[in-house]
């Protein structure tokens, strides 16, 4: 399971247009990777809308936001349109990305056990190292907390005048 100071592995995700996005293609960029359980559910919609609302602020800090879950390209496109999302989303079609980040976990609802995505966010610095991790995320205020961490990370990366 990836954690703070680990290097981002070169794994691939499927984009809503059916293309492939590799982490290696994003080398040198600060990334916010938010893993969410399921498209078009209340908590996931709110979280994705919060990140979308703050997208410009993240970009001002040099951070690119990407939402990751299971599902289909068609489902992602529908979710993006219905929820008015501006942040990009991607699909982990083979569970490899969720497994690497430790977000593909056994869950339980009404006594029934099943595998699903645990809500978590990872802030990755421009050197490809995980700078901060949020697990068991509670949605209210989360996007704002991640933005503050991205600002702090940018502040650490900038040379100081002296």
């Amino acid at each position: 399971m990836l954690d703070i100071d680990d290097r981002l592995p070169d794994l691939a995700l499927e984009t809503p247009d059916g293309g492939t996005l590799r982490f290696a293609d994003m080398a040198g960029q600060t990334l916010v990777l938010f893993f969410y359980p399921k498209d078009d559910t209340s908590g996931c919609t709110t979280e994705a809308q919060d990140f979308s609302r703050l997208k410009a602020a993240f970009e001002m800090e040099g951070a690119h936001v990407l939402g990751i879950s299971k599902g289909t390209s068609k489902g992602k496109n529908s979710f993006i349109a219905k929820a008015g999302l501006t942040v990009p989303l991607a699909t982990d079609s083979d569970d490899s990305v969720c497994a690497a980040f430790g977000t593909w976990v056994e869950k339980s609802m009404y006594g029934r056990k099943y595998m699903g995505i645990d809500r978590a966010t990872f802030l990755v610095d421009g050197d490809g190292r995980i700078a901060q991790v949020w697990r068991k995320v509670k949605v209210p205020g989360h996007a704002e907390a991640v933005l503050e961490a991205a600002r702090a990370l940018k502040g650490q990366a900038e040379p100081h005048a002296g």
Side-chain angles (χ1 to χ4, degrees):
M1 175 187 332
L2 294 169
D3 209 343
I4 293 175
D5 290 330
D6 287 340
R7 189 163 288 288
L8 189 65
D10 184 22
L11 297 170
L13 295 161
E14 184 181 330
T15 60
D17 63 4
T20 300
L21 175 66
R22 300 191 71 82
F23 288 137
D25 298 337
M26 299 181 279
Q29 300 177 37
T30 298
L31 302 173
V32 172
L33 306 174
F34 73 96
F35 290 80
Y36 64 97
K38 190 173 182 185
D39 294 338
D40 207 19
T41 57
S42 63
C44 297
T45 298
T46 300
E47 181 180 27
Q49 287 173 330
D50 288 351
F51 277 113
S52 289
R53 182 175 42 79
L54 296 173
K55 182 181 179 200
F58 277 102
E59 289 173 347
M60 284 180 57
E61 303 306 327
H64 301 275
V65 179
L66 177 65
I68 302 168
S69 72
K70 303 290 289 171
T72 64
S73 296
K74 183 179 177 184
K76 291 275 178 281
N77 286 323
S78 174
F79 181 40
I80 289 166
K82 184 176 178 183
L85 304 180
T86 58
V87 292
L89 303 179
T91 299
D92 181 17
S93 55
D94 66 1
D95 306 332
S96 62
V97 176
C98 289
F101 281 85
T103 61
W104 188 243
V105 298
E106 184 177 77
K107 294 181 161 193
S108 180
M109 184 183 293
Y110 306 118
R112 183 181 72 87
K113 295 194 182 297
Y114 63 99
M115 294 301 290
I117 296 176
D118 218 12
R119 192 180 309 278
T121 302
F122 296 79
L123 177 62
V124 181
D125 68 20
D127 293 327
R129 292 203 180 275
I130 297 172
Q132 195 158 345
V133 177
W134 294 263
R135 294 197 184 272
K136 305 282 186 204
V137 167
K138 302 293 183 218
V139 173
H142 176 63
E144 291 83 358
V146 176
L147 177 58
E148 287 306 311
R151 283 187 177 129
L153 184 65
K154 181 182 178 189
Q156 293 170 5
E158 291 178 354
H160 298 288

